[in-house]
């Protein structure tokens, strides 16, 4: 794996908007105050964030090192960022802050006690003295004498998490958690290229491998290209088991499958080429040469058939192993489920006797409840009968009260005077009254006749 590319640090910085602003670049390239205080805290923190983002971004793109997408050599770091004749003067403070926060770790410390050891990284960790006096004048600061290669921890964790997720997503059975180192390299190259657009280096893979080993998500067995890689499946809760003899056998068969597939592809390409050559020889009237090509084709076809047969057999074995491991996992799940069920029954005292007793008790409780309900219904009926009788008596009493109240109101009203004619006391008075009545009756009759007459026409 290589990290070479045409996109340079110079072109990246030229495209960065901040580096085209004179006022900002002057402030960002100046040195930090001797001490952070409440007054200078905003500008201090802003400058730290800016350089942190720049260092992480350029490292991620492989612009600070030709050998890594997750680490950089801090030696000559100021010189790499020189812009418009200005050299950043505060990178020592930035690097110190990043180390304190754990965002960067010296490469030697990061790889300590890893399976790779220190030998792979000796090239990038060798201290390099650079010409500080030629750039700034004076002696090199003491902090620069300890400059070294650093690992950007967030970038390593990002690639490690992505690689683990990618491997797990394609794992359907237990044997899919086993890889050859060549397969791991292939997966990692695809992942890094998709995330950064750059080709990762073997150093990047070694750092990611170290991170995954520390997290307990990956273990290695063997040395060199014959190493066996085993990852923790997403459903594994305990520690990752060491690589077993069966695991090594599975990986060996996988390597054989890959080798056979490549051989078959190569042989088929040769067969196609021989067919084309035979056709050309026939068109050129070169029959012996055409026959030779056909005989070669026949021999290669026989080899392909043998390779296909071997490939089929190995695939069948791998499938049987995967099937057996799946069956073992299913059986383990059954056993776990059985133990869990028995524990639940035991804790909750779920036995046939307890169930039968509980159902009997429940039946008795229902019977008792029915008796209570019946008694309540009878008592309620009796109460309702008494209530009806009481209601009739109350209704009668209410009507009597209403009648008395109405009579009292009528008696309280004032009497209306009535004109009563005087009663005649003598016979003479009776005669006078009779005459008056006759006169009045005659007058009423005449008035009626006059009213009934029809007027004559004029």
């Amino acid at each position: 794996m290589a990290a070479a590319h045409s996109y340079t640090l110079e072109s990246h910085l030229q495209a960065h908007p901040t580096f085209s602003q004179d006022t900002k670049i002057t402030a960002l390239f100046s040195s930090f105050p001797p001490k952070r205080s409440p007054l200078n805290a905003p500008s201090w923190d802003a400058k730290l964030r800016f350089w942190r983002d720049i260092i992480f971004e350029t490292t991620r793109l492989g612009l600070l090192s030709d050998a890594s997408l997750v680490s950089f050599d801090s030696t000559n770091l100021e010189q790499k960022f020189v812009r418009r004749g200005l050299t950043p003067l505060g990178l020592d403070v930035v690097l110190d802050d990043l180390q304190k926060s754990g965002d960067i770790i010296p490469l030697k410390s990061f790889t300590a006690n890893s399976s790779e050891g220190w030998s792979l990284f000796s090239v990038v960790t060798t201290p390099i003295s650079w010409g500080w006096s030629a750039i700034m004048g004076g002696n090199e600061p003491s902090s620069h004498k300890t400059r070294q290669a650093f690992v950007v921890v967030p970038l390593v964790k990002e690639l490690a998490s992505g690689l683990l997720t990618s491997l797990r997503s394609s794992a359907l059975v237990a044997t899919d958690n086993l890889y050859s180192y060549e397969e791991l390299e292939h997966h990692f190259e695809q992942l890094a290229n998709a995330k950064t657009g750059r080709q990762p280096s073997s150093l990047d893979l070694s750092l990611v491998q170290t991170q995954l080993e520390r997290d307990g998500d990956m273990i290695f067995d063997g040395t060199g290209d014959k190493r066996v890689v085993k990852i923790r499946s997403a459903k594994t809760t305990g520690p990752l088991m060491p690589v077993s003899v069966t695991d090594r056998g599975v990986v060996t068969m996988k390597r054989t499958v890959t080798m056979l597939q490549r051989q078959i592809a190569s042989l088929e390409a040769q067969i196609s080429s021989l067919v084309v050559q035979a056709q050309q020889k026939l068109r050129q009237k070169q029959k012996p040469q055409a026959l030779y090509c056909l005989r070669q084709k026949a021999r290669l076809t026989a080899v392909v058939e043998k390779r296909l047969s071997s490939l089929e057999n190995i695939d069948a074995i791998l499938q049987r192993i995967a099937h057996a491991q799946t069956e073992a996992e299913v059986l383990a799940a059954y056993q776990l489920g059985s133990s869990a069920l028995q524990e639940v029954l035991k804790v909750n005292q779920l036995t046939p006797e307890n169930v039968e007793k509980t159902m009997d008790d429940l039946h008795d409780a229902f019977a008792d409840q029915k008796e209570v309900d019946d008694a309540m219904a009878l008592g309620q009926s009796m109460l309702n009968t008494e209530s009806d009788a009481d209601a009739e008596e109350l209704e009668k009493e209410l009507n009597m009260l209403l009648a008395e109240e109405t009579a009292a109101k009528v008696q309280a009203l004032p009497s209306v005077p009535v004109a009563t004619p005087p009663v005649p006391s003598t016979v003479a008075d009776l005669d006078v009254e009779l005459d008056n009545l006759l006169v009045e009756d005659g007058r009423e009759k005449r008035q009626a006749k006059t009213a009934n007459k029809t007027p004559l026409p004029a």
Side-chain angles (χ1 to χ4, degrees), residues 431-447:
D431 291 337
V432 173
E433 184 178 357
L434 181 60
D435 291 338
N436 290 335
L437 291 174
L438 291 173
V439 171
E440 186 176 353
D441 183 58
R443 187 184 303 115
E444 290 177 355
K445 288 180 179 180
R446 285 194 297 273
Q447 289 177 351

Side-chain angles (χ1 to χ4, degrees), residues 175-332:
T175 54
D176 292 336
N177 294 321
L178 299 168
Y179 297 88
S180 65
Y181 199 77
E182 183 181 10
E183 290 177 305
L184 183 67
E185 286 181 325
H186 177 70
H187 279 281
F188 183 68
E189 286 179 7
Q190 289 184 323
L191 171 71
N193 206 317
K195 283 184 172 292
T196 66
R198 298 290 184 267
Q199 192 75 2
S201 66
S202 57
L203 172 60
D204 296 325
L205 179 56
S206 298
L207 294 174
V208 169
Q209 168 189 331
T210 299
Q211 182 66 45
L212 290 172
E213 283 184 300
R214 287 178 177 173
D215 294 339
D217 292 321
M218 184 178 290
I219 56 176
F220 295 79
D221 182 75
T223 58
D225 294 336
K226 299 298 182 181
R227 278 175 289 184
V228 174
V229 182
K230 186 175 184 179
I231 67 169
R232 177 200 297 271
S233 66
K235 58 185 178 182
T236 301
T237 56
L240 187 58
M241 299 300 294
V243 176
S244 64
V245 175
T246 302
D247 295 336
R248 285 192 289 271
V250 168
V251 173
T252 299
M253 284 188 288
K254 284 187 173 183
R255 287 197 188 101
T256 304
V257 167
T258 302
M259 178 194 66
L260 289 174
Q261 290 173 339
R262 291 174 179 173
Q263 288 182 3
I264 291 170
S266 176
L267 290 171
E268 288 177 341
Q270 294 179 45
I271 290 171
S272 298
S273 177
L274 288 171
V275 171
V276 173
Q277 293 178 29
Q279 292 172 346
Q280 292 175 348
K281 297 301 181 182
L282 285 176
R283 284 194 294 268
Q284 296 171 3
K285 309 299 182 181
Q286 298 178 356
K287 185 177 179 180
Q289 289 84 346
L291 290 173
Y292 173 78
C293 291
L294 292 177
R295 284 193 293 269
Q296 289 290 99
K297 170 183 170 295
R299 283 195 291 268
L300 292 179
T301 301
V303 175
V304 169
E305 292 176 354
K306 292 180 180 179
R307 295 290 186 271
L308 287 172
S309 178
S310 300
L311 180 60
E312 183 179 1
N313 292 333
I314 296 176
D315 277 336
I317 295 173
L318 287 173
Q319 290 176 3
R320 288 177 179 274
I321 293 174
H323 178 72
Q325 290 180 332
T326 302
E327 292 295 328
E329 292 179 359
V330 171
L331 179 60

Side-chain angles (χ1 to χ4, degrees), residues 32 36 44-45 48-49 52 90-104:
F32 282 85
R36 184 179 183 275
W44 180 294
D45 296 339
L48 274 179
R49 286 194 301 270
R52 176 189 182 277
L91 293 189
D92 278 333
V93 176
V94 175
L95 294 177
D96 183 62
D97 183 81
L98 291 177
Q99 287 190 78
K100 289 180 179 178
S101 65
D103 286 332
I104 63 173

